[in-house]
Amino acid sequence: MSGSPPSSSGSEEEDEGMDSYRKGGYHAVRIGDSFAAGRYIAQKKLGWGQFSTVWLAYDTQSSKYVALKIQKSAPQFAQAALHEIEILSAIAAGDTSNNKSVVRLIDHFKHVGPNGQHLCMVLEFLGDSLLRLIKYNRYKGLESRRVKEICKCILTALDYLHRELRIIHTDLKPENILLSSTINPSKDPIRSGLTPILEKPEGNPNGGVIVSSIEKRLKQRAKRAVARISERRSSMGDGVGMIPKPARCLDGIDFQCKVVDFGNACWGDRPIAEEIQTRQYRAPEVILNSGYSFAADMWSFACTAFELATGEMMFAPKTGQGFSEDEDHLAMMMELLGKIPRKIATGGARSKDYFDRYGDLKRIRRLKYGSLERLLIDKYKFSDADARELAGFLCPLLDFEPEKRPTAQQCLQHPWLDAGSETTDEVKSESSIEKANAGMNNLQIKHN
């Protein structure tokens, strides 16, 4: 999804429906509609979420394409937009050279429509999300150098947010990180040489939104029905003679990216909600309600990096017979990372819901302990060296004690990030030397 859609954006196969186009809800936009006294002209819809819709717009003042985010008009949505504008304004003010890998707020204004007054944000136009990239790559892991390139961008953004601005993103995930341009050049208005629409196309001036929405939904239902029939046929054939799809060619894609969607972000000294983060990227301290800070973003970053490297989520918990999704999530964490220290397991406001006084889970008693390194080797077929190096980068970020997780600034200095440009032998050699040096330093520290 292009531009900067909200974190709660719907799936690409669904539409937001017409029910919320009413007083207090979405503003109905038609192609060619103008905003801010004619400065911005709507070109096409990019995405939607529970709070807003996002449109590609043409900025007649700068002659550039932008992403126009139009908030629902009810007071609670307007309040949320004001908070996001405050955060985005601080980000833009501190990043005058626009090189911190964070989406840039260009403008904001109010727009009055039939459903009320809508707060609007104008953001720089960006490309597809990392979620779309993962799907495009058929849920196979990206090659290591690509993962490192993306990780550097995300860490640059987090270092800026955490250290310089004292902002916690609180919802870091592949969906909220956008590539600088679209995967398919023909869908990029700049690279495709799209001629901007500067006036409303001829035709029905009133029913355009509704008709196009109904048509789109019917087409999507038909598409899903065909896909289900295809799946049934292939399962009936038991996969005999089925040829797996080859890996996609990713040449030509710009892997530079930016962190977006600050609707749930907060200042480090002013947390705004107890429960933050999308389920699969949620840190243990958030589940246990033991307080959170910048380290919660670092946990989400590690989950995102793993997903880029493997094509699959690190944790995808489910509700089971006799246990909750939260408890399954905690069990998965421990199976991969080891037992949660007792003081952490029992130290949160919700700890008693999941743990006994000894720090053992109440309802999931049998755990199969493993390690991140073994998982990368056994399931994802990483080489021993690659698995060891990636696990060495990620495991400190997945420490159950938030205070022990490295900061984004420290991660940017990690040798794993700089190991992509050399040959494999050079990397292994350098890695061995660094490990030896680290070992010597540890010995010196212990003796002192």
Side-chain angles (χ1 to χ4, degrees):
M1 202 174 281
S2 305
S4 181
S7 62
S8 52
S9 56
S11 73
E12 292 155 17
E13 290 76 30
E14 296 174 359
D15 205 79
E16 70 272 31
M18 300 312 300
D19 297 344
S20 293
Y21 282 92
R22 51 180 164 73
K23 293 285 182 188
Y26 297 120
H27 174 64
V29 180
R30 292 180 294 265
I31 290 168
D33 279 358
S34 63
F35 295 83
R39 177 174 173 180
Y40 306 105
I41 300 172
Q43 306 291 303
K44 68 172 181 177
K45 192 169 80 175
L46 296 171
W48 64 276
Q50 290 178 352
F51 287 14
S52 61
T53 57
V54 182
W55 285 74
L56 175 70
Y58 186 72
D59 181 353
T60 58
Q61 188 172 303
S62 67
S63 301
K64 289 181 179 178
Y65 287 101
V66 292
L68 175 63
K69 186 172 180 176
I70 307 167
Q71 203 84 344
K72 285 180 177 177
S73 59
Q76 67 268 32
F77 301 117
Q79 196 59 41
L82 285 170
H83 172 74
E84 188 170 4
I85 288 165
E86 179 194 2
I87 295 275
L88 286 167
S89 298
I91 289 168
D95 183 17
T96 51
S97 55
N98 195 16
N99 64 359
K100 301 290 190 183
S101 298
V102 186
V103 68
R104 188 168 193 75
L105 179 70
I106 295 166
D107 192 9
H108 59 90
F109 56 87
K110 293 171 183 173
H111 181 84
V112 178
N115 295 334
Q117 181 176 268
H118 304 263
L119 272 166
C120 303
M121 288 170 248
V122 181
L123 302 143
E124 63 179 315
F125 174 77
L126 295 167
D128 294 298
S129 71
L130 294 189
L131 178 61
R132 177 73 72 85
L133 177 65
I134 290 164
K135 287 179 180 177
Y136 177 81
N137 199 40
R138 297 179 174 138
Y139 300 96
K140 299 177 191 295
L142 299 173
E143 58 181 305
S144 183
R145 65 190 177 98
R146 304 296 194 196
V147 177
K148 291 170 186 179
E149 191 177 347
I150 292 168
C151 283
K152 282 180 186 177
C153 292
I154 303 169
L155 288 168
T156 298
L158 290 177
D159 180 41
Y160 173 56
L161 294 170
H162 293 174
R163 190 166 52 88
E164 296 188 41
L165 301 179
R166 313 302 290 170
I167 289 171
I168 311 170
H169 186 280
T170 81
D171 197 19
L172 194 74
K173 57 182 177 177
E175 191 178 348
N176 286 340
I177 302 153
L178 303 188
L179 296 168
S180 296
S181 57
T182 55
I183 294 166
N184 183 345
S186 67
K187 291 186 178 179
D188 190 297
I190 301 156
R191 288 191 291 164
S192 65
L194 181 70
T195 303
I197 297 161
L198 298 176
E199 55 188 35
K200 290 180 186 177
E202 290 180 14
N204 184 350
N206 298 317
V209 172
I210 295 170
V211 171
S212 66
S213 176
I214 293 167
E215 282 178 352
K216 186 179 175 186
R217 236 183 297 173
L218 288 170
K219 282 178 184 173
Q220 285 164 348
R221 281 179 191 168
K223 210 188 230 181
R224 284 198 291 271
V226 170
R228 279 197 294 270
I229 291 164
S230 300
E231 280 172 21
R232 222 171 282 135
R233 280 179 183 161
S234 57
S235 64
M236 283 167 69
D238 290 326
V240 177
M242 296 276 288
I243 302 167
K245 288 182 179 178
R248 294 261 201 185
C249 176
L250 303 180
D251 293 346
I253 296 174
D254 183 356
F255 288 89
Q256 290 295 302
C257 56
K258 292 194 172 193
V259 173
V260 305
D261 194 348
F262 288 84
N264 297 310
C266 65
W267 304 102
D269 59 352
R270 280 180 275 156
I272 55 172
E274 280 182 3
E275 188 172 276
I276 58 166
Q277 302 174 308
T278 298
R279 157 61 64 196
Q280 294 84 354
Y281 309 89
R282 191 172 293 158
E285 63 267 26
V286 177
I287 298 172
L288 297 173
N289 192 6
S290 52
Y292 62 85
S293 189
F294 308 104
D297 278 348
M298 301 311 296
W299 181 283
S300 299
F301 163 72
C303 294
T304 299
F306 176 90
E307 198 169 337
L308 290 168
T310 65
E312 294 182 14
M313 291 176 179
M314 183 180 281
F315 304 112
K318 293 175 184 172
T319 304
Q321 198 168 0
F323 59 84
S324 68
E325 201 174 5
D326 278 332
E327 197 158 356
D328 189 38
H329 199 168
L330 293 165
M332 285 181 163
M333 289 176 179
M334 288 194 282
E335 286 187 326
L336 190 63
L337 304 166
K339 192 174 176 182
I340 298 178
R342 184 174 168 274
K343 67 171 184 176
I344 300 291
T346 59
R350 295 191 62 199
S351 290
K352 287 180 181 176
D353 295 345
Y354 315 116
F355 292 100
D356 61 24
R357 59 187 176 142
Y358 304 107
D360 294 316
L361 286 169
K362 287 181 175 179
R363 287 168 287 275
I364 304 176
R365 308 299 290 184
R366 292 183 181 178
L367 298 181
K368 296 176 183 175
Y369 290 101
S371 72
L372 184 55
E373 190 174 324
R374 285 285 3 136
L375 179 70
L376 291 170
I377 294 166
D378 296 342
K379 184 176 180 181
Y380 299 105
K381 309 307 175 192
F382 276 56
S383 70
D384 288 5
D386 288 345
R388 185 171 60 251
E389 287 171 12
L390 179 57
F393 177 68
L394 294 180
C395 282
L397 290 161
L398 298 165
D399 198 301
F400 289 120
E401 297 187 52
E403 302 78 20
K404 290 186 177 178
R405 287 175 213 152
T407 63
Q409 184 183 27
Q410 288 168 332
C411 286
L412 283 166
Q413 308 303 318
H414 197 283
W416 179 79
L417 283 176
D418 295 318
S421 53
E422 303 94 344
T423 66
T424 308
D425 288 338
E426 285 172 336
V427 171
K428 286 179 183 172
S429 169
E430 191 175 275
S431 178
S432 301
I433 292 165
E434 277 157 351
K435 280 175 186 166
N437 288 340
M440 290 300 290
N441 290 337
N442 289 338
L443 283 171
Q444 289 164 7
I445 291 165
K446 284 174 186 174
H447 283 303
N448 286 341

